[in-house]
Structure formats: structure tokens, C-alpha cells
Amino acid sequence: MSTEIPDLPTEITPQSQDFGRWYIDVVRRAELADYSPVKGCMVIRPYGYAIWELMQQGLDRRFKATGHVNAYFPLFIPESLLMREAEHVEGFAPQVAWVTQGGNEELEERLVIRPTSETIIGTMYAKWVQSWRDLPILINQWANVVRWEKVTRLFLRTTEFLWQEGHTAHETAEEAQEETLRMLGVYKDFAENDLAMPVMDGEKTESEKFAGAVKTYSIEALMRDGRALQAGTSHNLGQNFSKSYEIKFQARDKSVQYVHTTSWGVSTRMIGGVIMTHGDDGGLILPPKVAPYQVVMVPIPRGNWRETVLPKAQQLRDALVARGIRVHIDDRDSQTPGWKFNEWELRGVPLRLEIGPKDLEKSQVVLARRDTREKSFVPMEGLAGHVEQLLAAIQQSLFDRAAQFRQEHTSRTDSYDEFTQIMDGRPGFVISPWCGSAACEAAIKTETQATIRNIPFGSEPATGKACIRCGGAATVHAWFAKSY
Ligand SMILES: [Zn+2]
């Protein structure tokens, strides 16, 4: 299966005209990712991959701080292993890719390319765990997975994608539940502090939970087109997998018990989330913490600038780099400063630093913010400290802006008529009472395309309220949205 790769767009479609088009234009023009000759598979280009590396670092640091270690398991899973957990198979079977031949020989047993790794990791845990002394196991894996997709959307939905999957095994149900919530908390902290992306954390409904899980929790973000994006999930798998994969141990009281397991993951989808949370018609806007270049320096080419301006720019760069700031000097002769300003704005660099002969005389530089487009003259003396403050201010202001957008695009209604009206446009989140029935949930999805994103923690009780769809007694307030 192969696919024709369209030419790179020359201009970016305005968000108001076609948000989907805007998104793809930004991803490709900013050189984050591109289509590939393999249908459904993307190429992550160096600039996009650099963002992923920064995300990995931010997450990995947090995983290790919470006691986890990294390991690596095989890409292939024997068919018989996948088949052991019934619900899991049912959930994933329509999406798996099969390997049936190795070299010239047909395989005796087909292999699946991992859609997720509970089965193979569980099989290994069964060998490694004998006693309560071997617990807990807290392992994370950075890997690629494959889920056959009919529709391709760069970063958001591709057949192969990169992610991390944590898999833990515990002595007790309480510990497993604690771990599940701890990792959801880690995801929320990462999304809000590093990606400046406010998220709602809560529990998924029965019909939206992971195949084989007892409980699934998610963080949900709101994109600028009013659609929600599930940005990460954490699952309490109870003893479902330990019973299917025989992960047993001798307990403190000498009885033989099954372990309690969890799994949790986030993927390159988060890059799509960052683009759609912060971007504007000028292109990408990157939060400083995950920007490959936090500052781009554009020397103004006048006179003998290579002998005067450039050495000063390099000296300033060195001072910034010494403070841990990621800097790039764009000293290409082939492009004008105006072209470079546009280009780096499109690629979302948080701060642009301009320096020319006149600035040299005054011992100052010009700093331009990508988020507000404000320009200021700043003395060279103490520049690094000033840049650090500005980067922190941009990080905060992006979060505040996104939080305000979410607030303005979150509504509440107890009436189904109003609910369907809201869902007709660019809705955002709608909070409504729901009875807990999967049938109502499915009907709402068919009628409005909206799904329950999650039931947020601390959601106000729905006592005395009627379900918006069936009018029966409501059990919770659910957060509905159209989603990616
Ligand atoms: Zn109902």
C-alpha cells in the first residue's frame, strides 16, 4: 500500500476558514512531520522530533522521580499470547497488523505487531514474580506501536506512533489504584506545567474505558476549534491480566495471590495537542519548555556585519547557552531578515532576538515575543536574566490564555434541546447530568457526535437531577464534547 505525498503548502490556511486544513498546513510548513510513502504512517522531521525529545525528557524525569525504571520488550507478540485476555482481544483485534511470513517461510504461529504491550509484559512478569518481596514492579517502556487506522491525521491518528507505556504490578488493589491515580497526576502536571495545556482529569465511562481495564482515567484538553483531545490515559487493570497471564505470588500470609496491575501511556499525539492549544494564523506557538529553540537570533546584515554584529551575537548566544537556554543564530546570507522573522514565527519560537549595528552602538538588542508579538529594547548587560524571565512569562501566559479559552468554551445545561444546539457549532465542553446508562451515552453520540470525555474528579453531585437524554435519575455530571 502506498500513497501519493502532496506538495508542501506555501501558505497557511486561516483557522477560521478551515481548522483541519490550518492544522495540517502548520504541521507540514513548520517541518514537524510529513506524510510518507506508506499509507497511514508519518515521518517525524527533526524539528518535530526535537519537541518529542523534550517531552520525553520531561516525562522520563517524572517517571524516575516516582520510582519507575525503563526496559524494552519485543515488537512482536505471538497470536496465542494476545488471545488470552478475552476483552482485550475483542478491543484490539480489528486494529492489529499481522506478520505471517519470515523470509521465505510461513510462520507456524502468526505474530501481531504490538498495539500495546500488556500481554507480552504480563507474560514476563509471571516469570519474574514469585513472592510479595518481588513487588511492586514499576517498569516503563519507550516504544512504537501499530494500530491499523483507516484515517490519517499527522500526530493525531497514524497507524504507527511513538509513545511510552508504563506497566506496574502490585501486591494489593489499593496500591494499584494509588499508582493509577499517581500517574494520571504525573500526566496532568506535565501537560499543565511543560505544555501549558490545561486538562480535566477524571474517570472514563464503562464504554470508553481501555479493553480489559477495571477503571480508566484520562486527561482531556480543549483544542481551539472546540474539540476535546484525550491527551493521556491511566488504567487500573485489577486482576484481569494477572489471571489471564498467571502472574501469581506468595503473599505475606503464605497464600497464593494474583497481582494487581496498571498501565498508562501518552504518545506523540500530545504534539498535536500543543499545536491546536496554542497556535494561531501565523502558525505554531511553542511553550518555552518544549521549544527546540527558545530564542532565535537574527543578526541584521548591514555594513561589515560579519566582523562586527555576528561576533557580538555569538558572544551573547554563549552567555544564554551557559544559562541552559536553547538558542539558534540564523546567519544565513540567502534570506532577508524579514523572511527569517516570518519563518521563525511560523515555527513557533517563543522569543526572537534582533541585533544590528545600531544596537551595537547602544549596547542593546530587540526582543520580540511570539505569543503577544510585543517588541522591547533590552540592554546587553544582564540579557540572560531578562530572557529567562520572559520565557517564564510566556510559558505562564500561554497556560492562562488556554485556561481562559476553556472557561469561555465550557457550558452547562440540563436541557437536551439546548445540548444539541450547543453541539451543533464549535461547542467546547458541555457539562450535563447523566444517568449512567451506556444506551443513553450511545444515543447522545449518534444524535450529536458528542461523547462523554470523562467524569472529572470532584464533579458536583447530580442528586435530584434528570438525565438529559432519558429524563431518568441522573447519577453524575459528565463532561461531554466532540473529540479527536
Ligand atoms: Zn439516561
Side-chain angles (χ1 to χ4, degrees):
M1 66 195 270
S2 72
T3 189
E4 193 133 325
I5 303 164
D7 292 338
L8 278 183
T10 49
E11 279 178 20
I12 292 178
T13 309
Q15 289 188 346
S16 57
Q17 192 182 316
D18 182 345
F19 192 86
R21 197 65 252 165
W22 169 85
Y23 174 78
I24 295 296
D25 289 350
V26 169
V27 169
R28 299 187 70 217
R29 266 297 277 116
E31 298 180 8
L32 301 178
D34 207 347
Y35 297 110
S36 80
V38 192
K39 199 179 173 200
C41 295
M42 67 174 164
V43 176
I44 305 178
R45 300 186 64 176
Y47 194 57
Y49 200 81
I51 298 174
W52 178 237
E53 285 177 317
L54 290 163
M55 290 185 173
Q56 284 185 304
Q57 288 164 21
L59 287 163
D60 208 64
R61 194 176 59 239
R62 287 171 170 87
F63 296 159
K64 288 179 177 150
T66 44
H68 303 84
V69 289
N70 289 329
Y72 189 78
F73 295 82
L75 168 71
F76 302 116
I77 300 171
E79 179 170 17
S80 56
L81 270 193
L82 187 77
M83 293 307 163
R84 273 202 229 161
E85 215 291 326
E87 262 186 52
H88 190 65
V89 177
E90 205 188 305
F92 280 101
Q95 280 191 300
V96 299
W98 295 98
V99 177
T100 57
Q101 192 168 320
N104 293 323
E105 279 171 42
E106 190 154 321
L107 302 181
E108 274 178 37
E109 181 179 5
R110 297 197 293 173
L111 300 171
V112 300
I113 300 177
R114 64 181 162 217
T116 177
S117 302
E118 279 75 8
T119 58
I120 191 131
I121 292 179
T123 305
M124 296 314 295
Y125 285 4
K127 297 189 188 305
W128 298 342
V129 177
Q130 264 95 45
S131 140
W132 61 270
R133 291 180 191 85
D134 301 324
L135 296 169
I137 300 186
L138 307 170
I139 288 180
N140 174 65
Q141 158 166 277
W142 290 98
N144 59 342
V145 285
V146 166
R147 297 178 186 176
W148 219 252
E149 294 283 358
K150 295 195 175 72
V151 184
T152 309
R153 270 177 205 254
L154 299 173
F155 290 120
L156 301 173
R157 206 164 279 280
T158 50
T159 290
E160 180 192 7
F161 59 89
L162 302 182
W163 79 345
Q164 61 68 219
E165 45 180 327
H167 295 270
T168 68
H170 306 265
E171 219 181 319
T172 66
E174 291 72 26
E175 275 178 42
Q177 177 64 9
E178 266 172 37
E179 168 78 3
T180 309
L181 295 180
R182 180 182 303 119
M183 298 325 286
L184 190 78
V186 162
Y187 288 158
K188 182 178 164 78
D189 177 63
F190 170 73
E192 299 197 331
N193 287 304
D194 288 21
L195 309 183
M197 189 167 84
V199 291
M200 284 310 302
D201 48 341
E203 189 178 343
K204 284 284 192 191
T205 64
E206 201 55 28
S207 50
E208 295 275 334
K209 70 176 199 200
F210 178 74
V214 175
K215 280 179 188 293
T216 286
Y217 300 89
S218 71
I219 52 169
E220 304 279 338
L222 191 63
M223 306 294 101
R224 294 196 69 79
D225 64 344
R227 282 180 186 267
L229 181 86
Q230 178 179 292
T233 48
S234 186
H235 317 290
N236 184 341
L237 305 172
Q239 292 177 313
N240 290 348
F241 283 86
S242 65
K243 285 182 177 162
S244 306
Y245 294 87
E246 296 287 321
I247 318 172
K248 289 186 283 196
F249 69 103
Q250 191 176 53
R252 288 166 203 261
D253 66 3
K254 305 272 191 261
S255 66
V256 174
Q257 305 279 344
Y258 289 101
V259 300
H260 300 259
T261 65
T262 82
S263 66
W264 28 273
V266 298
S267 71
T268 37
R269 194 164 217 245
M270 274 197 159
I271 299 175
V274 166
I275 299 165
M276 293 191 291
T277 299
H278 303 302
D280 64 14
D281 286 347
L284 198 59
I285 300 181
L286 289 172
K289 285 193 184 168
V290 290
Y293 305 130
Q294 295 169 311
V295 180
V296 67
M297 297 172 79
V298 180
I300 307 302
R302 289 217 183 94
N304 59 341
W305 70 282
R306 282 202 172 266
E307 281 74 49
T308 53
V309 175
L310 190 57
K312 190 69 202 173
Q314 285 161 341
Q315 194 190 329
L316 292 173
R317 177 207 44 207
D318 293 347
L320 295 178
V321 169
R323 294 281 277 267
I325 300 165
R326 296 184 288 275
V327 186
H328 174 67
I329 300 184
D330 188 351
D331 63 351
R332 286 176 286 181
D333 284 318
S334 55
Q335 307 292 355
T336 65
W339 185 94
K340 291 176 186 176
F341 294 173
N342 254 337
E343 181 69 6
W344 293 111
E345 201 167 281
L346 189 151
R347 299 181 75 180
V349 175
L351 273 179
R352 180 178 74 236
L353 186 153
E354 304 164 18
I355 178 170
K358 271 186 195 159
D359 302 309
L360 239 55
E361 278 167 29
K362 294 180 189 165
S363 219
Q364 68 178 24
V365 297
V366 178
L367 285 178
R369 282 174 68 151
R370 171 63 181 92
D371 59 337
T372 57
R373 292 195 163 97
E374 282 164 355
K375 273 192 173 196
S376 53
F377 293 97
V378 174
M380 289 181 189
E381 178 83 36
L383 178 69
H386 199 100
V387 165
E388 274 174 347
Q389 278 174 19
L390 267 177
L391 291 173
I394 294 169
Q395 182 81 29
Q396 186 61 46
S397 131
L398 287 178
F399 178 84
D400 294 343
R401 203 153 89 172
Q404 194 188 340
F405 178 85
R406 183 179 71 183
Q407 199 186 344
E408 287 164 3
H409 292 80
T410 300
S411 32
R412 297 165 178 275
T413 180
D414 295 350
S415 134
Y416 196 56
D417 281 346
E418 198 184 339
F419 183 93
T420 47
Q421 271 166 29
I422 299 171
M423 285 301 172
D424 228 14
R426 294 188 159 194
F429 287 116
V430 182
I431 307 167
S432 290
W434 170 60
C435 66
S437 119
C440 275
E441 195 182 359
I444 292 168
K445 187 177 178 180
T446 310
E447 290 156 8
T448 70
Q449 292 173 22
T451 50
I452 296 178
R453 299 322 304 154
N454 64 27
I455 319 290
F457 299 130
S459 197
E460 68 201 75
T463 328
K465 291 218 170 176
C467 169
I468 46 156
R469 180 61 179 66
C470 70
T475 51
V476 288
H477 276 102
W479 282 49
F480 292 86
K482 290 183 185 170
S483 76
Y484 278 95

